[in-house]
Amino acid sequence: NIDGKQYMLKYKTTYKSGLKLKNNVILDSSEEDKEKTYTFSDATSGGQGSGDLTSKIKIVKIDKDNEEIKLKNAKFKITRKETGKSFELTTNANGEAVSMQLIPGEYTIKELESPTHYLLDNTEYTVTVTSDKVAIQTIKNEPEKTSISVKKQWVGKEGSAIIAVLKADGVEVARKELSSANGWKHTFENLRKYKAGTDKEIVYKVE
């Protein structure tokens, strides 16, 4: 009994560009049951359009620290397990690489070249290609990292604890209290070396 009121159900879901998203809802009530199915596909998303991706392998390459960053120019070797025959794919500006239509079966994916300023992923992935859908493999790359060490040196009598503030291109990213307890020194670690998507090295300063 909803007393004549109307309700709207909203939800969020993942969406892989180039695919058709199927939504199915079953509504049960004491008076009647209804089932509805709707489909959605974005004809412009990822540059793949609504073309047929069945029997294909699609690789999505992203930044491990920020999944919104898509990585281009990553090269992969795709091998069919049954025959050992292989071919190569390279990700585009959207961080995607799509194969031609393949014979169903198991295939391995091995990264040959990583994107600029990223570490090579040595993991070998196995995907299963079927005749009715696309085999999607998301692969993350660790960006090149650096570390910054700081030490407080007193002139004359040693003072009280101080705060060391680390800035990246002028923006604060971390801070640490230095005192005699930690020898007046600290190392800021796991810092990106390059600004995402560029060849520009990040300038770190400690104040």
Side-chain angles (χ1 to χ4, degrees), residues 37-182:
T37 300
Y38 300 92
T39 58
F40 170 81
S41 60
D42 186 349
T44 59
S45 178
Q48 294 297 332
S50 56
D52 186 8
L53 288 179
T54 56
S55 301
K56 295 181 181 180
I57 292 175
K58 180 176 180 179
I59 300 172
V60 180
K61 194 65 166 170
I62 58 177
D63 185 302
K64 187 176 182 180
D65 294 345
N66 184 350
E67 296 186 4
E68 295 300 315
I69 299 175
K70 305 300 189 293
L71 305 178
K72 63 180 179 179
N73 297 329
K75 183 182 289 186
F76 297 91
K77 180 180 180 181
I78 316 298
T79 305
R80 186 184 176 199
K81 279 191 172 183
E82 185 177 343
T83 62
K85 290 185 177 181
S86 62
F87 60 93
E88 295 181 0
L89 290 177
T90 301
T91 55
N92 59 21
N94 297 313
E96 300 176 355
V98 180
S99 73
M100 74 293 282
Q101 287 191 312
L102 303 170
I103 298 173
E106 287 193 333
Y107 291 77
T108 61
I109 301 174
K110 183 72 174 178
E111 186 169 315
L112 299 177
E113 296 179 14
S114 62
T116 305
H117 306 313
Y118 285 84
L119 304 181
L120 187 72
D121 182 355
N122 290 312
T123 305
E124 184 173 273
Y125 300 88
T126 298
V127 296
T128 301
V129 172
T130 61
S131 60
D132 60 343
K133 61 183 179 180
V134 61
I136 300 177
Q137 180 66 56
T138 299
I139 301 177
K140 303 176 182 180
N141 273 106
E142 179 85 27
E144 288 185 26
K145 298 292 182 72
T146 187
S147 60
I148 304 294
S149 296
V150 58
K151 182 177 181 180
K152 175 65 177 177
Q153 291 184 328
W154 293 96
V155 178
K157 184 180 178 180
E158 190 175 272
S160 58
I162 61 102
I163 299 296
V165 178
L166 177 68
K167 292 186 176 181
D169 291 333
V171 179
E172 181 180 335
V173 292
R175 55 174 54 204
K176 177 68 176 180
E177 182 178 277
L178 303 183
S179 67
S180 58
N182 54 24

